[in-house]
Amino acid sequence: MSVSRKKALQYAERLLEVPSAHLRVTLRRGKGGVTLLHRGKAVTRCHASRAGTWTAAFMAQALGVELPSVGETVQAMVSSGVLWRAVGISSLDLRRREARVLLHRLLEEAEMQRAAGAGTDAD
């Protein structure tokens, strides 16, 4: 049984309360959708619908990884700022024009933050 999106986002809020330069996250794709995990706990989810799959792909892009195939996982080391943007992207309704403008901005910011942190040592 998977955790609800609401509970996952509550965990994300607690996780993001404390800024961190290095958070190891896992993007897991199953038949029901894509889940972003930190230390085995769900941070956010995207359902397996068409809109959910698009959102998950953009969330992966924000994290700097490829969206895994069904049954696969991929890991990333990101800052809390990048994670915040990925979680924000996962909550967008991309069917709305306004959301796509915000998506573009969040992706740009995540890319800049990943580039700025590329020279730091990972724990």
Side-chain angles (χ1 to χ4, degrees), residues 15-95:
L15 178 62
L16 292 170
E17 285 177 352
V18 180
S20 177
H22 307 291
L23 294 168
R24 184 174 308 279
V25 294
T26 303
L27 202 57
R28 180 176 64 199
R29 187 171 183 184
K31 291 179 184 177
V34 177
T35 304
L36 181 63
L37 305 148
H38 174 261
R39 295 187 179 175
K41 293 181 82 171
V43 177
T44 189
R45 299 189 66 222
C46 297
H47 297 287
S49 65
R50 182 184 304 170
T53 302
W54 275 102
T55 303
F58 288 123
M59 182 174 62
Q61 182 180 342
L63 295 169
V65 297
E66 294 289 324
L67 184 64
S69 301
V70 175
E72 301 290 323
T73 63
V74 65
Q75 291 193 348
M77 183 72 76
V78 297
S79 69
S80 54
V82 171
L83 181 59
W84 184 85
R85 283 153 181 81
V87 170
I89 289 169
S90 76
S91 299
L92 293 175
D93 180 356
L94 297 179
R95 295 171 293 186

